[in-house]
């Protein structure tokens, strides 16, 4: 199956498919989403089936610009209005108390709901056509559970070949070009404001500094009782090839030891390393936004090189890199012991 161009006709068809309970993959400014009618529990169940994701994991509900928050959430604090005013449409998800009539399928049985208004024009057009702009599209990232999020329509097609087309779970994949931001939305929990204050569940393009400036307080890091978020599992966003983070000072040495053991590498770095013998190499920009834009496409490309390892040159640890460092740390989590074993 091919991705669909975003003509008005294809968008109207996609909105109809959603209304009839099917899934549609669509671009957002962060990553591609796999969408279903948020108010149709059977449709939401199809997302879990297609992704192979446990059904107690909540999904984000995407809303059209100007949507009525009070239809979806209750006990809405002023902070939610201030943040949505400041950052919507855009890459910020608010966790609020779920309104009683919203099915708990979207929140994996928790009493909250994640809401976000995306800024990508195709996502907005789709949301405006779907239920005449009054619906919500439940959409996690359009990848199999635990794998790298898609930033291009072709990534979605690669990932879901079996589920596409007539008789499949996914009616269409809308092609809106490469997602600008490249990593998933920042998630802030406002559902326990009176007891815990605002809590940052997932860092992203909207930074802690930007959130603090609007909220007047710095959001806290998640505690044990914070609402569960699958993007916050230790191991997530991982390619099939083990990913290892290596500090720039150690890179040459690590590569030569690996070489002496007959191991092949693929490399992701900002600096150029002509001296290193890599099977594949992705060079990314030295600014956090540029790096985030290319990160997932780069990991997918390096994964295809069939090297023994993907080495990623470590980045600065300052706040501007928080979102990117969070994704890299999780991509590398399962392979954190591999290097030690090979180098010993
Ligand atoms: O940028 C994004 O957020 C993308 C695009 C498609 O919008 N979506 C995305 O969805 O990353 P997903 O499912 O891959 O990650 C959504 C995160 C998960 O970690 C999920 O657990 C969390 O949001 N989430 C959604 N609703 C929640 C809720 N009610 N309480 C706590 N976490 C929630
Ligand atoms: Mg995801």
């Amino acid at each position: 199956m091919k991705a669909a161009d975003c003509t008005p006709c294809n968008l109207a068809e996609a909105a109809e498919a959603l209304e009839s309970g099917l899934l549609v993959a669509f671009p957002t400014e962060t990553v591609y989403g796999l969408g279903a009618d948020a108010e149709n529990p059977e449709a939401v169940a199809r997302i879990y089936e297609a992704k192979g994701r446990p059904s107690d994991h909540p999904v984000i509900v995407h809303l059209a610009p100007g949507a009525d928050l009070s239809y979806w959430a209750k006990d809405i604090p002023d902070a939610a209005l201030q943040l949505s005013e400041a950052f919507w449409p855009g890459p910020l998800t608010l966790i609020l108390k779920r309104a009683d009539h919203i099915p708990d399928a979207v929140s994996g049985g928790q009493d909250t709901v994640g809401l976000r208004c995306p800024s990508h024009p195709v996502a907005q057009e789709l949301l405006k056509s779907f239920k005449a702009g009054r619906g919500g599209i439940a959409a996690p990232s359009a990848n199999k559970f635990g794998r790298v999020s898609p930033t291009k329509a072709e990534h979605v097609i690669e990932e879901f070949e079996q589920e596409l087309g007539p008789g499949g779970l996914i009616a269409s994949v809308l092609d809106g070009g490469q997602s600008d931001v490249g990593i998933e939305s920042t998630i802030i929990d406002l559902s326990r404001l009176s007891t815990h204050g605002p809590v940052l569940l997932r860092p992203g393009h909207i930074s802690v500094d930007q959130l603090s400036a609007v909220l007047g307080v710095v959001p806290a890091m998640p505690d044990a009782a914070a609402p569960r978020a699958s993007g916050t599992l230790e191991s997530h966003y991982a390619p099939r090839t083990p990913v290892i983070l290596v500090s720039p000072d150690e890179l040459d040495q690590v590569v030569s030891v690996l070489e002496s053991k007959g191991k092949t590498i693929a490399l992701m770095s900002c600096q150029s390393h002509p001296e290193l013998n890599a099977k594949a190499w992705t060079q990314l920009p030295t600014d956090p936004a540029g790096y985030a834009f290319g990160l997932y496409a780069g990991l997918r490309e390096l994964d295809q090189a069939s090297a023994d390892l993907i080495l990623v040159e470590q980045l600065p640890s300052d706040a501007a890199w928080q979102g990117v460092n969070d994704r890299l740390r999780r991509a590398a989590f399962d392979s954190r012991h591999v290097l030690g074993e090979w180098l010993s």
Side-chain angles (χ1 to χ4, degrees), residues 95 185-190 192 199-203 219-223 226-229 231-232 326 330:
I95 307 295
S185 60
T186 306
I187 305 182
I188 187 151
D189 176 24
L190 301 174
R192 303 172 306 151
V199 178
L200 182 76
L201 297 185
R202 181 171 72 183
M221 292 300 132
D223 56 285
R228 294 183 309 278
T232 60
D326 170 77
R330 293 176 203 284

mmCIF file with all atom_site columns, all heavy atoms in Angstrom, residues 95 185-190 192 199-203 219-223 226-229 231-232 326 330:
data_model
loop_
_atom_site.group_PDB
_atom_site.id
_atom_site.type_symbol
_atom_site.label_atom_id
_atom_site.label_alt_id
_atom_site.label_comp_id
_atom_site.label_asym_id
_atom_site.label_entity_id
_atom_site.label_seq_id
_atom_site.pdbx_PDB_ins_code
_atom_site.Cartn_x
_atom_site.Cartn_y
_atom_site.Cartn_z
_atom_site.occupancy
_atom_site.B_iso_or_equiv
_atom_site.pdbx_formal_charge
_atom_site.auth_seq_id
_atom_site.auth_comp_id
_atom_site.auth_asym_id
_atom_site.auth_atom_id
_atom_site.pdbx_PDB_model_num
ATOM 1   N N   . ILE A 1 95  ? -2.324 16.319 30.900 1.00 0.00 ? 95  ILE A N   1
ATOM 2   C CA  . ILE A 1 95  ? -3.067 15.237 31.555 1.00 0.00 ? 95  ILE A CA  1
ATOM 3   C C   . ILE A 1 95  ? -4.019 15.885 32.569 1.00 0.00 ? 95  ILE A C   1
ATOM 4   O O   . ILE A 1 95  ? -3.582 16.611 33.471 1.00 0.00 ? 95  ILE A O   1
ATOM 5   C CB  . ILE A 1 95  ? -2.124 14.247 32.291 1.00 0.00 ? 95  ILE A CB  1
ATOM 6   C CG1 . ILE A 1 95  ? -1.025 13.733 31.362 1.00 0.00 ? 95  ILE A CG1 1
ATOM 7   C CG2 . ILE A 1 95  ? -2.936 13.108 32.915 1.00 0.00 ? 95  ILE A CG2 1
ATOM 8   C CD1 . ILE A 1 95  ? -1.463 12.898 30.202 1.00 0.00 ? 95  ILE A CD1 1
ATOM 9   N N   . SER A 1 185 ? 5.522  14.700 21.946 1.00 0.00 ? 185 SER A N   1
ATOM 10  C CA  . SER A 1 185 ? 5.159  15.897 22.715 1.00 0.00 ? 185 SER A CA  1
ATOM 11  C C   . SER A 1 185 ? 5.644  15.833 24.168 1.00 0.00 ? 185 SER A C   1
ATOM 12  O O   . SER A 1 185 ? 5.774  14.757 24.750 1.00 0.00 ? 185 SER A O   1
ATOM 13  C CB  . SER A 1 185 ? 3.636  16.068 22.701 1.00 0.00 ? 185 SER A CB  1
ATOM 14  O OG  . SER A 1 185 ? 3.006  14.938 23.272 1.00 0.00 ? 185 SER A OG  1
ATOM 15  N N   . THR A 1 186 ? 5.875  16.999 24.712 1.00 0.00 ? 186 THR A N   1
ATOM 16  C CA  . THR A 1 186 ? 6.094  17.149 26.147 1.00 0.00 ? 186 THR A CA  1
ATOM 17  C C   . THR A 1 186 ? 4.779  16.782 26.844 1.00 0.00 ? 186 THR A C   1
ATOM 18  O O   . THR A 1 186 ? 3.712  17.187 26.389 1.00 0.00 ? 186 THR A O   1
ATOM 19  C CB  . THR A 1 186 ? 6.409  18.628 26.469 1.00 0.00 ? 186 THR A CB  1
ATOM 20  O OG1 . THR A 1 186 ? 7.505  19.048 25.662 1.00 0.00 ? 186 THR A OG1 1
ATOM 21  C CG2 . THR A 1 186 ? 6.713  18.848 27.936 1.00 0.00 ? 186 THR A CG2 1
ATOM 22  N N   . ILE A 1 187 ? 4.845  15.995 27.940 1.00 0.00 ? 187 ILE A N   1
ATOM 23  C CA  . ILE A 1 187 ? 3.607  15.671 28.668 1.00 0.00 ? 187 ILE A CA  1
ATOM 24  C C   . ILE A 1 187 ? 3.684  16.241 30.074 1.00 0.00 ? 187 ILE A C   1
ATOM 25  O O   . ILE A 1 187 ? 4.644  15.977 30.811 1.00 0.00 ? 187 ILE A O   1
ATOM 26  C CB  . ILE A 1 187 ? 3.371  14.147 28.776 1.00 0.00 ? 187 ILE A CB  1
ATOM 27  C CG1 . ILE A 1 187 ? 3.376  13.503 27.381 1.00 0.00 ? 187 ILE A CG1 1
ATOM 28  C CG2 . ILE A 1 187 ? 2.056  13.861 29.486 1.00 0.00 ? 187 ILE A CG2 1
ATOM 29  C CD1 . ILE A 1 187 ? 3.103  12.000 27.400 1.00 0.00 ? 187 ILE A CD1 1
ATOM 30  N N   . ILE A 1 188 ? 2.658  17.019 30.444 1.00 0.00 ? 188 ILE A N   1
ATOM 31  C CA  . ILE A 1 188 ? 2.605  17.559 31.808 1.00 0.00 ? 188 ILE A CA  1
ATOM 32  C C   . ILE A 1 188 ? 1.306  17.122 32.490 1.00 0.00 ? 188 ILE A C   1
ATOM 33  O O   . ILE A 1 188 ? 0.229  17.221 31.907 1.00 0.00 ? 188 ILE A O   1
ATOM 34  C CB  . ILE A 1 188 ? 2.798  19.091 31.810 1.00 0.00 ? 188 ILE A CB  1
ATOM 35  C CG1 . ILE A 1 188 ? 2.908  19.599 33.236 1.00 0.00 ? 188 ILE A CG1 1
ATOM 36  C CG2 . ILE A 1 188 ? 1.707  19.815 31.046 1.00 0.00 ? 188 ILE A CG2 1
ATOM 37  C CD1 . ILE A 1 188 ? 3.718  20.832 33.397 1.00 0.00 ? 188 ILE A CD1 1
ATOM 38  N N   . ASP A 1 189 ? 1.454  16.598 33.689 1.00 0.00 ? 189 ASP A N   1
ATOM 39  C CA  . ASP A 1 189 ? 0.301  16.127 34.446 1.00 0.00 ? 189 ASP A CA  1
ATOM 40  C C   . ASP A 1 189 ? -0.225 17.251 35.336 1.00 0.00 ? 189 ASP A C   1
ATOM 41  O O   . ASP A 1 189 ? 0.489  17.750 36.205 1.00 0.00 ? 189 ASP A O   1
ATOM 42  C CB  . ASP A 1 189 ? 0.731  14.922 35.300 1.00 0.00 ? 189 ASP A CB  1
ATOM 43  C CG  . ASP A 1 189 ? -0.388 14.424 36.197 1.00 0.00 ? 189 ASP A CG  1
ATOM 44  O OD1 . ASP A 1 189 ? -1.571 14.663 35.855 1.00 0.00 ? 189 ASP A OD1 1
ATOM 45  O OD2 . ASP A 1 189 ? -0.084 13.795 37.228 1.00 0.00 ? 189 ASP A OD2 1
ATOM 46  N N   . LEU A 1 190 ? -1.485 17.644 35.086 1.00 0.00 ? 190 LEU A N   1
ATOM 47  C CA  . LEU A 1 190 ? -2.129 18.669 35.922 1.00 0.00 ? 190 LEU A CA  1
ATOM 48  C C   . LEU A 1 190 ? -3.294 18.057 36.688 1.00 0.00 ? 190 LEU A C   1
ATOM 49  O O   . LEU A 1 190 ? -4.132 18.771 37.234 1.00 0.00 ? 190 LEU A O   1
ATOM 50  C CB  . LEU A 1 190 ? -2.640 19.813 35.028 1.00 0.00 ? 190 LEU A CB  1
ATOM 51  C CG  . LEU A 1 190 ? -1.585 20.536 34.178 1.00 0.00 ? 190 LEU A CG  1
ATOM 52  C CD1 . LEU A 1 190 ? -2.260 21.538 33.246 1.00 0.00 ? 190 LEU A CD1 1
ATOM 53  C CD2 . LEU A 1 190 ? -0.568 21.244 35.057 1.00 0.00 ? 190 LEU A CD2 1
ATOM 54  N N   . ARG A 1 192 ? -3.283 16.249 39.377 1.00 0.00 ? 192 ARG A N   1
ATOM 55  C CA  . ARG A 1 192 ? -3.129 16.165 40.836 1.00 0.00 ? 192 ARG A CA  1
ATOM 56  C C   . ARG A 1 192 ? -2.516 17.463 41.356 1.00 0.00 ? 192 ARG A C   1
ATOM 57  O O   . ARG A 1 192 ? -1.680 17.466 42.266 1.00 0.00 ? 192 ARG A O   1
ATOM 58  C CB  . ARG A 1 192 ? -2.242 14.971 41.196 1.00 0.00 ? 192 ARG A CB  1
ATOM 59  C CG  . ARG A 1 192 ? -2.790 13.625 40.654 1.00 0.00 ? 192 ARG A CG  1
ATOM 60  C CD  . ARG A 1 192 ? -1.797 12.504 40.864 1.00 0.00 ? 192 ARG A CD  1
ATOM 61  N NE  . ARG A 1 192 ? -0.507 12.850 40.286 1.00 0.00 ? 192 ARG A NE  1
ATOM 62  C CZ  . ARG A 1 192 ? 0.660  12.399 40.726 1.00 0.00 ? 192 ARG A CZ  1
ATOM 63  N NH1 . ARG A 1 192 ? 0.707  11.571 41.740 1.00 0.00 ? 192 ARG A NH1 1
ATOM 64  N NH2 . ARG A 1 192 ? 1.789  12.772 40.142 1.00 0.00 ? 192 ARG A NH2 1
ATOM 65  N N   . VAL A 1 199 ? 3.417  18.136 37.133 1.00 0.00 ? 199 VAL A N   1
ATOM 66  C CA  . VAL A 1 199 ? 4.483  17.114 37.065 1.00 0.00 ? 199 VAL A CA  1
ATOM 67  C C   . VAL A 1 199 ? 4.821  16.839 35.594 1.00 0.00 ? 199 VAL A C   1
ATOM 68  O O   . VAL A 1 199 ? 3.928  16.581 34.784 1.00 0.00 ? 199 VAL A O   1
ATOM 69  C CB  . VAL A 1 199 ? 4.025  15.801 37.746 1.00 0.00 ? 199 VAL A CB  1
ATOM 70  C CG1 . VAL A 1 199 ? 5.107  14.734 37.635 1.00 0.00 ? 199 VAL A CG1 1
ATOM 71  C CG2 . VAL A 1 199 ? 3.678  16.050 39.217 1.00 0.00 ? 199 VAL A CG2 1
ATOM 72  N N   . LEU A 1 200 ? 6.096  16.916 35.284 1.00 0.00 ? 200 LEU A N   1
ATOM 73  C CA  . LEU A 1 200 ? 6.551  16.640 33.915 1.00 0.00 ? 200 LEU A CA  1
ATOM 74  C C   . LEU A 1 200 ? 6.658  15.125 33.733 1.00 0.00 ? 200 LEU A C   1
ATOM 75  O O   . LEU A 1 200 ? 7.485  14.479 34.357 1.00 0.00 ? 200 LEU A O   1
ATOM 76  C CB  . LEU A 1 200 ? 7.929  17.273 33.685 1.00 0.00 ? 200 LEU A CB  1
ATOM 77  C CG  . LEU A 1 200 ? 8.487  17.102 32.273 1.00 0.00 ? 200 LEU A CG  1
ATOM 78  C CD1 . LEU A 1 200 ? 7.791  18.049 31.301 1.00 0.00 ? 200 LEU A CD1 1
ATOM 79  C CD2 . LEU A 1 200 ? 9.990  17.331 32.242 1.00 0.00 ? 200 LEU A CD2 1
ATOM 80  N N   . LEU A 1 201 ? 5.800  14.544 32.856 1.00 0.00 ? 201 LEU A N   1
ATOM 81  C CA  . LEU A 1 201 ? 5.852  13.088 32.653 1.00 0.00 ? 201 LEU A CA  1
ATOM 82  C C   . LEU A 1 201 ? 6.789  12.704 31.517 1.00 0.00 ? 201 LEU A C   1
ATOM 83  O O   . LEU A 1 201 ? 7.328  11.612 31.502 1.00 0.00 ? 201 LEU A O   1
ATOM 84  C CB  . LEU A 1 201 ? 4.461  12.529 32.359 1.00 0.00 ? 201 LEU A CB  1
ATOM 85  C CG  . LEU A 1 201 ? 3.407  12.663 33.457 1.00 0.00 ? 201 LEU A CG  1
ATOM 86  C CD1 . LEU A 1 201 ? 2.129  11.936 33.046 1.00 0.00 ? 201 LEU A CD1 1
ATOM 87  C CD2 . LEU A 1 201 ? 3.926  12.103 34.776 1.00 0.00 ? 201 LEU A CD2 1
ATOM 88  N N   . ARG A 1 202 ? 6.932  13.597 30.536 1.00 0.00 ? 202 ARG A N   1
ATOM 89  C CA  . ARG A 1 202 ? 7.833  13.289 29.416 1.00 0.00 ? 202 ARG A CA  1
ATOM 90  C C   . ARG A 1 202 ? 8.406  14.600 28.890 1.00 0.00 ? 202 ARG A C   1
ATOM 91  O O   . ARG A 1 202 ? 7.643  15.495 28.544 1.00 0.00 ? 202 ARG A O   1
ATOM 92  C CB  . ARG A 1 202 ? 7.046  12.559 28.311 1.00 0.00 ? 202 ARG A CB  1
ATOM 93  C CG  . ARG A 1 202 ? 7.878  12.162 27.105 1.00 0.00 ? 202 ARG A CG  1
ATOM 94  C CD  . ARG A 1 202 ? 7.112  11.249 26.144 1.00 0.00 ? 202 ARG A CD  1
ATOM 95  N NE  . ARG A 1 202 ? 6.074  11.960 25.401 1.00 0.00 ? 202 ARG A NE  1
ATOM 96  C CZ  . ARG A 1 202 ? 5.243  11.371 24.545 1.00 0.00 ? 202 ARG A CZ  1
ATOM 97  N NH1 . ARG A 1 202 ? 5.304  10.065 24.333 1.00 0.00 ? 202 ARG A NH1 1
ATOM 98  N NH2 . ARG A 1 202 ? 4.330  12.078 23.914 1.00 0.00 ? 202 ARG A NH2 1
ATOM 99  N N   . PRO A 1 203 ? 9.739  14.755 28.847 1.00 0.00 ? 203 PRO A N   1
ATOM 100 C CA  . PRO A 1 203 ? 10.306 15.991 28.300 1.00 0.00 ? 203 PRO A CA  1
ATOM 101 C C   . PRO A 1 203 ? 10.167 16.001 26.778 1.00 0.00 ? 203 PRO A C   1
ATOM 102 O O   . PRO A 1 203 ? 10.070 14.940 26.153 1.00 0.00 ? 203 PRO A O   1
ATOM 103 C CB  . PRO A 1 203 ? 11.785 15.915 28.704 1.00 0.00 ? 203 PRO A CB  1
ATOM 104 C CG  . PRO A 1 203 ? 12.077 14.465 28.886 1.00 0.00 ? 203 PRO A CG  1
ATOM 105 C CD  . PRO A 1 203 ? 10.772 13.799 29.264 1.00 0.00 ? 203 PRO A CD  1
ATOM 106 N N   . PRO A 1 219 ? 7.876  22.579 37.048 1.00 0.00 ? 219 PRO A N   1
ATOM 107 C CA  . PRO A 1 219 ? 7.191  21.292 37.216 1.00 0.00 ? 219 PRO A CA  1
ATOM 108 C C   . PRO A 1 219 ? 8.096  20.255 37.881 1.00 0.00 ? 219 PRO A C   1
ATOM 109 O O   . PRO A 1 219 ? 9.305  20.248 37.663 1.00 0.00 ? 219 PRO A O   1
ATOM 110 C CB  . PRO A 1 219 ? 6.837  20.863 35.791 1.00 0.00 ? 219 PRO A CB  1
ATOM 111 C CG  . PRO A 1 219 ? 7.448  21.838 34.867 1.00 0.00 ? 219 PRO A CG  1
ATOM 112 C CD  . PRO A 1 219 ? 7.998  22.984 35.645 1.00 0.00 ? 219 PRO A CD  1
ATOM 113 N N   . ALA A 1 220 ? 7.473  19.392 38.687 1.00 0.00 ? 220 ALA A N   1
ATOM 114 C CA  . ALA A 1 220 ? 8.237  18.350 39.385 1.00 0.00 ? 220 ALA A CA  1
ATOM 115 C C   . ALA A 1 220 ? 8.483  17.173 38.448 1.00 0.00 ? 220 ALA A C   1
ATOM 116 O O   . ALA A 1 220 ? 7.828  17.029 37.422 1.00 0.00 ? 220 ALA A O   1
ATOM 117 C CB  . ALA A 1 220 ? 7.434  17.873 40.587 1.00 0.00 ? 220 ALA A CB  1
ATOM 118 N N   . MET A 1 221 ? 9.444  16.333 38.814 1.00 0.00 ? 221 MET A N   1
ATOM 119 C CA  . MET A 1 221 ? 9.697  15.089 38.073 1.00 0.00 ? 221 MET A CA  1
ATOM 120 C C   . MET A 1 221 ? 8.700  14.040 38.578 1.00 0.00 ? 221 MET A C   1
ATOM 121 O O   . MET A 1 221 ? 8.206  14.141 39.694 1.00 0.00 ? 221 MET A O   1
ATOM 122 C CB  . MET A 1 221 ? 11.126 14.614 38.309 1.00 0.00 ? 221 MET A CB  1
ATOM 123 C CG  . MET A 1 221 ? 12.150 15.530 37.676 1.00 0.00 ? 221 MET A CG  1
ATOM 124 S SD  . MET A 1 221 ? 11.879 15.592 35.876 1.00 0.00 ? 221 MET A SD  1
ATOM 125 C CE  . MET A 1 221 ? 11.917 17.343 35.589 1.00 0.00 ? 221 MET A CE  1
ATOM 126 N N   . PRO A 1 222 ? 8.385  13.005 37.762 1.00 0.00 ? 222 PRO A N   1
ATOM 127 C CA  . PRO A 1 222 ? 7.354  12.045 38.168 1.00 0.00 ? 222 PRO A CA  1
ATOM 128 C C   . PRO A 1 222 ? 7.701  11.293 39.452 1.00 0.00 ? 222 PRO A C   1
ATOM 129 O O   . PRO A 1 222 ? 8.866  10.966 39.686 1.00 0.00 ? 222 PRO A O   1
ATOM 130 C CB  . PRO A 1 222 ? 7.291  11.063 37.007 1.00 0.00 ? 222 PRO A CB  1
ATOM 131 C CG  . PRO A 1 222 ? 8.233  11.520 35.979 1.00 0.00 ? 222 PRO A CG  1
ATOM 132 C CD  . PRO A 1 222 ? 8.959  12.710 36.466 1.00 0.00 ? 222 PRO A CD  1
ATOM 133 N N   . ASP A 1 223 ? 6.689  11.052 40.279 1.00 0.00 ? 223 ASP A N   1
ATOM 134 C CA  . ASP A 1 223 ? 6.848  10.239 41.485 1.00 0.00 ? 223 ASP A CA  1
ATOM 135 C C   . ASP A 1 223 ? 6.205  8.886  41.211 1.00 0.00 ? 223 ASP A C   1
ATOM 136 O O   . ASP A 1 223 ? 5.614  8.683  40.152 1.00 0.00 ? 223 ASP A O   1
ATOM 137 C CB  . ASP A 1 223 ? 6.129  10.938 42.647 1.00 0.00 ? 223 ASP A CB  1
ATOM 138 C CG  . ASP A 1 223 ? 4.682  11.189 42.300 1.00 0.00 ? 223 ASP A CG  1
ATOM 139 O OD1 . ASP A 1 223 ? 4.404  12.117 41.497 1.00 0.00 ? 223 ASP A OD1 1
ATOM 140 O OD2 . ASP A 1 223 ? 3.823  10.442 42.772 1.00 0.00 ? 223 ASP A OD2 1
ATOM 141 N N   . ALA A 1 226 ? 2.573  8.839  39.961 1.00 0.00 ? 226 ALA A N   1
ATOM 142 C CA  . ALA A 1 226 ? 2.202  9.621  38.778 1.00 0.00 ? 226 ALA A CA  1
ATOM 143 C C   . ALA A 1 226 ? 1.476  8.718  37.775 1.00 0.00 ? 226 ALA A C   1
ATOM 144 O O   . ALA A 1 226 ? 1.736  7.520  37.728 1.00 0.00 ? 226 ALA A O   1
ATOM 145 C CB  . ALA A 1 226 ? 3.455  10.197 38.126 1.00 0.00 ? 226 ALA A CB  1
ATOM 146 N N   . PRO A 1 227 ? 0.555  9.309  36.973 1.00 0.00 ? 227 PRO A N   1
ATOM 147 C CA  . PRO A 1 227 ? -0.123 8.490  35.970 1.00 0.00 ? 227 PRO A CA  1
ATOM 148 C C   . PRO A 1 227 ? 0.907  7.808  35.075 1.00 0.00 ? 227 PRO A C   1
ATOM 149 O O   . PRO A 1 227 ? 1.939  8.379  34.761 1.00 0.00 ? 227 PRO A O   1
ATOM 150 C CB  . PRO A 1 227 ? -0.932 9.509  35.174 1.00 0.00 ? 227 PRO A CB  1
ATOM 151 C CG  . PRO A 1 227 ? -1.052 10.698 36.044 1.00 0.00 ? 227 PRO A CG  1
ATOM 152 C CD  . PRO A 1 227 ? 0.157  10.708 36.926 1.00 0.00 ? 227 PRO A CD  1
ATOM 153 N N   . ARG A 1 228 ? 0.614  6.557  34.704 1.00 0.00 ? 228 ARG A N   1
ATOM 154 C CA  . ARG A 1 228 ? 1.571  5.804  33.898 1.00 0.00 ? 228 ARG A CA  1
ATOM 155 C C   . ARG A 1 228 ? 1.617  6.356  32.471 1.00 0.00 ? 228 ARG A C   1
ATOM 156 O O   . ARG A 1 228 ? 0.611  6.702  31.902 1.00 0.00 ? 228 ARG A O   1
ATOM 157 C CB  . ARG A 1 228 ? 1.139  4.340  33.801 1.00 0.00 ? 228 ARG A CB  1
ATOM 158 C CG  . ARG A 1 228 ? 1.176  3.594  35.088 1.00 0.00 ? 228 ARG A CG  1
ATOM 159 C CD  . ARG A 1 228 ? 0.799  2.136  34.857 1.00 0.00 ? 228 ARG A CD  1
ATOM 160 N NE  . ARG A 1 228 ? -0.445 1.962  34.102 1.00 0.00 ? 228 ARG A NE  1
ATOM 161 C CZ  . ARG A 1 228 ? -1.642 2.018  34.645 1.00 0.00 ? 228 ARG A CZ  1
ATOM 162 N NH1 . ARG A 1 228 ? -1.771 2.270  35.937 1.00 0.00 ? 228 ARG A NH1 1
ATOM 163 N NH2 . ARG A 1 228 ? -2.728 1.843  33.924 1.00 0.00 ? 228 ARG A NH2 1
ATOM 164 N N   . ALA A 1 229 ? 2.794  6.380  31.912 1.00 0.00 ? 229 ALA A N   1
ATOM 165 C CA  . ALA A 1 229 ? 2.964  6.785  30.523 1.00 0.00 ? 229 ALA A CA  1
ATOM 166 C C   . ALA A 1 229 ? 3.933  5.817  29.867 1.00 0.00 ? 229 ALA A C   1
ATOM 167 O O   . ALA A 1 229 ? 5.038  5.637  30.346 1.00 0.00 ? 229 ALA A O   1
ATOM 168 C CB  . ALA A 1 229 ? 3.505  8.212  30.455 1.00 0.00 ? 229 ALA A CB  1
ATOM 169 N N   . GLY A 1 231 ? 5.611  5.973  27.193 1.00 0.00 ? 231 GLY A N   1
ATOM 170 C CA  . GLY A 1 231 ? 6.848  6.607  26.734 1.00 0.00 ? 231 GLY A CA  1
ATOM 171 C C   . GLY A 1 231 ? 7.817  6.815  27.875 1.00 0.00 ? 231 GLY A C   1
ATOM 172 O O   . GLY A 1 231 ? 8.942  7.266  27.674 1.00 0.00 ? 231 GLY A O   1
ATOM 173 N N   . THR A 1 232 ? 7.384  6.534  29.099 1.00 0.00 ? 232 THR A N   1
ATOM 174 C CA  . THR A 1 232 ? 8.285  6.711  30.234 1.00 0.00 ? 232 THR A CA  1
ATOM 175 C C   . THR A 1 232 ? 8.805  5.365  30.736 1.00 0.00 ? 232 THR A C   1
ATOM 176 O O   . THR A 1 232 ? 9.462  5.314  31.766 1.00 0.00 ? 232 THR A O   1
ATOM 177 C CB  . THR A 1 232 ? 7.580  7.464  31.382 1.00 0.00 ? 232 THR A CB  1
ATOM 178 O OG1 . THR A 1 232 ? 6.463  6.696  31.789 1.00 0.00 ? 232 THR A OG1 1
ATOM 179 C CG2 . THR A 1 232 ? 7.105  8.816  30.930 1.00 0.00 ? 232 THR A CG2 1
ATOM 180 N N   . ASP A 1 326 ? 16.668 12.123 26.766 1.00 0.00 ? 326 ASP A N   1
ATOM 181 C CA  . ASP A 1 326 ? 15.692 11.173 27.316 1.00 0.00 ? 326 ASP A CA  1
ATOM 182 C C   . ASP A 1 326 ? 15.424 10.044 26.311 1.00 0.00 ? 326 ASP A C   1
ATOM 183 O O   . ASP A 1 326 ? 15.435 8.864  26.669 1.00 0.00 ? 326 ASP A O   1
ATOM 184 C CB  . ASP A 1 326 ? 14.400 11.953 27.619 1.00 0.00 ? 326 ASP A CB  1
ATOM 185 C CG  . ASP A 1 326 ? 13.238 11.039 27.956 1.00 0.00 ? 326 ASP A CG  1
ATOM 186 O OD1 . ASP A 1 326 ? 13.206 10.544 29.089 1.00 0.00 ? 326 ASP A OD1 1
ATOM 187 O OD2 . ASP A 1 326 ? 12.369 10.811 27.080 1.00 0.00 ? 326 ASP A OD2 1
ATOM 188 N N   . ARG A 1 330 ? 16.649 5.951  26.660 1.00 0.00 ? 330 ARG A N   1
ATOM 189 C CA  . ARG A 1 330 ? 15.699 4.824  26.599 1.00 0.00 ? 330 ARG A CA  1
ATOM 190 C C   . ARG A 1 330 ? 16.024 3.884  25.445 1.00 0.00 ? 330 ARG A C   1
ATOM 191 O O   . ARG A 1 330 ? 15.880 2.670  25.570 1.00 0.00 ? 330 ARG A O   1
ATOM 192 C CB  . ARG A 1 330 ? 14.268 5.341  26.470 1.00 0.00 ? 330 ARG A CB  1
ATOM 193 C CG  . ARG A 1 330 ? 13.827 6.054  27.722 1.00 0.00 ? 330 ARG A CG  1
ATOM 194 C CD  . ARG A 1 330 ? 12.440 6.655  27.563 1.00 0.00 ? 330 ARG A CD  1
ATOM 195 N NE  . ARG A 1 330 ? 12.280 7.745  28.505 1.00 0.00 ? 330 ARG A NE  1
ATOM 196 C CZ  . ARG A 1 330 ? 12.066 7.590  29.797 1.00 0.00 ? 330 ARG A CZ  1
ATOM 197 N NH1 . ARG A 1 330 ? 11.967 6.390  30.322 1.00 0.00 ? 330 ARG A NH1 1
ATOM 198 N NH2 . ARG A 1 330 ? 11.950 8.637  30.589 1.00 0.00 ? 330 ARG A NH2 1
#
